[in-house]
Amino acid sequence: MWQDAWRIAKYEFRISWRGYLITLLLLAYTSFFSSVMLYGHLVNDEEFRMEWNIDLGYLCMLPLFGFLMNQTMFRYWKEDTYSRKLAEWHTMPIGVSQIIAGRMLLLILVLLVNWILFFGIQYAVLEELRARLDPAEFVIYALIWLGYSLFAAAVVVYMELGFPGRVYFFLCFVYVFVIGLVTLTLALSGRSAIVMSLEAAADRSWETAALSLAAAAVGVAGLVALLHRRIRRRSLWT
């Protein structure tokens, strides 16, 4: 199955490689503004409001680093491109398990490359961050966010492949609303996801990083199982 999944992932990247350039632009934009906001936090020049903003930025933007910003992504509302692609693949000797595995494999590979770039740039340009976290501690910090990014991106893939384009469109709004609600709840309780992850890293809490990755692995596996049943039951022609 994994050989077929790898073929699907390579095919998807080959026809969408230009979309990766747009993803890189998004990464550069996010890297710049997140570094500015993180710098403000590290030198204690920002109010708590800025911590709320950087939490929202991380929670919303990091999962998007696993996606190729191609034409398919921007036409799903009008043309329901994801459903049409699934319907086309169903006419070929390609199983549902292979389709899901290929999609997840591409997601993980793209996300890993962009995760390295994003956090590598951040650590390179922020002297204050290097002063606060040594390389090992920074790896913990980055791994904590990798776990979150993998799970959140898998949720988006579940919505992408599991529902028609217009339903997916509205689910994206629900998804962003939930992230905003979580961020607001943290802010009102006087907590911050960024601050907590920095503190865990500074304490060399490898357990926190391991827990984040383990939770992501369990969550992704569960979403894959749910998506398998969802694709088998849903109509691909509406």
Side-chain angles (χ1 to χ4, degrees):
M1 180 186 75
W2 286 108
Q3 185 177 9
D4 294 328
W6 176 242
R7 289 175 180 171
I8 293 173
K10 287 196 297 184
Y11 170 77
E12 286 291 294
F13 185 81
R14 188 168 61 248
I15 65 174
S16 305
W17 66 269
R18 293 179 181 84
Y20 185 61
L21 300 179
I22 301 176
T23 305
L24 287 177
L25 291 176
L26 174 66
L27 186 147
Y29 173 85
T30 306
S31 297
F32 174 76
F33 283 101
S34 65
S35 295
V36 170
M37 290 188 290
L38 186 57
Y39 170 82
H41 164 72
L42 293 171
V43 299
N44 296 318
D45 276 349
E46 303 295 339
E47 300 294 333
F48 184 76
R49 174 177 54 84
M50 187 57 72
E51 293 178 358
W52 186 91
N53 285 342
I54 193 172
D55 277 358
L56 184 62
Y58 267 54
L59 293 172
C60 285
M61 300 304 295
L62 288 183
L64 296 183
F65 291 162
F67 295 85
L68 302 174
M69 305 297 176
N70 53 22
Q71 292 181 347
T72 298
M73 173 171 283
F74 297 111
R75 293 201 307 247
Y76 69 85
W77 166 268
K78 183 178 180 180
E79 301 180 11
D80 199 5
T81 47
Y82 297 122
S83 296
R84 292 176 62 181
K85 182 182 294 186
L86 282 174
E88 180 181 355
W89 282 348
H90 269 303
T91 65
M92 304 176 185
I94 302 176
V96 173
S97 297
Q98 295 165 330
I99 294 172
I100 297 173
R103 182 67 187 88
M104 288 297 183
L105 182 59
L106 179 63
L107 171 76
I108 291 170
L109 291 175
V110 174
L111 181 59
L112 282 175
V113 171
N114 290 330
W115 168 75
I116 293 172
L117 289 174
F118 176 78
F119 284 97
I121 291 171
Q122 201 172 74
Y123 197 63
V125 302
L126 289 178
E127 181 180 353
E128 293 75 14
L129 186 58
R130 296 195 301 273
R132 180 160 180 171
L133 302 177
D134 65 28
E137 293 167 348
F138 184 75
V139 169
I140 295 173
Y141 170 72
L143 287 175
I144 291 171
W145 283 103
L146 176 62
Y148 163 76
S149 301
L150 286 169
F151 174 73
V155 172
V156 177
V157 170
Y158 177 81
M159 299 188 301
E160 169 190 297
L161 298 181
F163 297 90
R166 295 191 176 185
V167 177
Y168 172 52
F169 176 79
F170 288 111
L171 286 176
C172 287
F173 278 97
V174 174
Y175 175 83
V176 174
F177 175 79
V178 170
I179 290 178
L181 188 62
V182 169
T183 307
L184 180 61
T185 301
L186 286 172
L188 292 177
S189 63
R191 302 174 70 84
S192 164
I194 289 293
V195 172
M196 289 188 291
S197 60
L198 286 171
E199 290 175 346
D203 292 338
R204 287 184 174 263
S205 179
W206 289 99
E207 297 84 358
T208 302
L211 181 60
S212 176
L213 294 174
V218 172
V220 170
L223 286 167
V224 166
L226 291 174
L227 184 56
H228 194 281
R229 290 196 292 269
R230 176 67 188 171
I231 291 177
R232 287 190 176 277
R233 295 176 181 177
R234 64 163 293 199
S235 171
L236 301 175
W237 305 102
T238 57

